[in-house]
Amino acid sequence: MNCLVFDIETVPDVELGRKLYGLDGLSDADVAKAMFTLRRQENGGEFLPYEQHRIVTISCVLRSRDSLRVWSLGEPGAPEAELVERFFDGLERFSPDLVSWNGTGFDLPVLHYRALKAGVQAARYWETGDTDATFRYNNYLGRFHWRHIDLMDVLSGYQARGRVSLENVAMLLGLPGKMGFSGAQVWDAYLAGDIIGIRRYCETDVLNTYLIYLRFELMRGKFSRERYEEEIERVKAMLRASREPHLTEFLRAWEAAA
């Protein structure tokens, strides 16, 4: 088993916003406010176009052989280019199966644009069988391939009206969910300098996603019930051994909901 669950957190790319809208001289907070306002005028919502997102955190759960770990790439406050390069370098070296929640609809398109901006090379990720025949019918880019499983996409039957939020599915399965923090709070946390808080939130998101993935593997017959229970206990053992307060809180909330 070589599985990498990932999630990103982003903030407005205020540098790009200044260029696009002639906002030189304004503070980052005011530029972002203008970007949100302009977007709301365009389509009624504040969700920015993909190219206007800047990545501040990439968090992962890696299940490989007999190991399991959760962490965020780079040091807190590391440059975006370093985070993006680390992510694609991991795919280059280990070719894990990817798992996400809405990765096809958000995380990966944003990573594409930011890798393009940073000049990051990612030959393995873009492989479709030209140099490795095993990627011809199972690669990271094919929506209906299994090298990347976007759980939201798959569970919805690839239908927009069937899509459900990570929070709601986590609640459905008795998982901790967002634990009082949401993506809507990331920009304010970033302005306040709380990068650690953002990373911890992102790590709990990938834990929720991984636990949903384990249930999915049970549902589609990839895991026996015994194997599923073993994997669940492995997650709990990792959380018990951790000294990170957000992971301890995650375990406590999970056990309380059981």
Side-chain angles (χ1 to χ4, degrees):
M1 187 175 183
N2 190 22
C3 167
L4 182 72
V5 185
F6 72 100
D7 184 44
I8 69 173
E9 297 302 330
T10 67
V11 296
D13 184 345
V14 293
E15 179 184 343
L16 179 59
R18 288 188 177 92
K19 294 177 182 177
L20 290 174
Y21 305 118
L23 299 174
D24 289 341
L26 295 183
S27 68
D28 287 354
D30 286 340
V31 170
K33 184 177 180 180
M35 293 169 72
F36 290 137
T37 299
L38 289 166
R39 186 61 171 170
R40 188 167 59 249
Q41 292 171 350
E42 289 175 358
N43 68 359
E46 293 187 346
F47 189 80
L48 298 175
Y50 294 142
E51 80 281 359
Q52 294 182 27
H53 288 257
R54 182 169 68 83
I55 297 170
V56 293
T57 298
I58 304 176
S59 295
C60 304
V61 168
L62 178 64
R63 174 72 171 91
S64 181
R65 294 186 180 178
D66 293 326
S67 67
L68 175 70
R69 62 181 294 221
V70 56
W71 83 108
S72 295
L73 302 182
E75 295 298 321
E80 179 190 47
E82 178 185 328
L83 303 182
V84 174
E85 186 167 23
R86 281 175 177 264
F87 176 79
F88 285 111
D89 182 59
L91 302 191
E92 195 75 24
R93 289 189 291 162
F94 303 112
S95 296
D97 290 339
L98 288 179
V99 177
S100 69
W101 192 272
N102 197 31
T104 300
F106 178 69
D107 303 69
L108 288 176
V110 172
L111 279 159
H112 296 169
Y113 288 116
R114 306 319 286 187
L116 194 68
K117 178 180 186 295
V120 171
Q121 291 186 306
R124 195 67 171 166
Y125 173 77
W126 292 102
E127 175 65 61
T128 57
D130 291 337
T131 58
D132 186 339
T134 64
F135 274 66
R136 184 161 300 153
Y137 303 109
N138 187 26
N139 54 65
Y140 291 121
L141 305 175
R143 188 182 190 189
F144 305 111
H145 293 179
W146 294 101
R147 202 174 287 272
H148 169 223
I149 300 176
D150 180 342
L151 287 167
M152 189 184 80
D153 208 20
V154 171
L155 291 171
S156 70
Y158 306 100
Q159 301 295 318
R161 63 184 179 181
R163 292 173 184 166
V164 179
S165 70
L166 176 63
E167 171 76 352
N168 285 0
V169 175
M171 293 294 99
L172 176 69
L173 299 186
L175 303 175
K178 298 290 185 178
M179 294 170 46
F181 201 108
S182 74
Q185 298 169 269
V186 168
W187 176 235
D188 287 338
Y190 181 80
L191 288 176
D194 189 13
I195 296 295
I196 297 295
I198 296 171
R199 287 162 66 97
R200 288 174 173 172
Y201 159 66
C202 198
E203 288 170 14
T204 59
D205 261 7
V206 291
L207 278 170
N208 280 299
T209 303
Y210 180 61
L211 291 169
I212 295 169
Y213 168 71
L214 294 180
R215 186 70 67 92
F216 175 66
E217 292 293 82
L218 173 67
M219 181 175 72
R220 68 175 181 147
K222 294 292 184 178
F223 286 172
S224 66
R225 293 194 179 276
E226 292 75 17
R227 171 70 185 280
Y228 172 73
E229 293 298 336
E230 289 173 4
E231 294 297 331
I232 290 295
E233 184 53 41
R234 188 183 297 273
V235 177
K236 290 183 177 180
M238 177 192 69
L239 296 174
R240 291 189 194 105
S242 174
R243 296 182 179 179
E244 294 291 338
H246 64 297
L247 299 184
T248 300
E249 182 184 355
F250 187 94
L251 177 61
R252 186 183 304 116
W254 184 13
E255 292 180 333

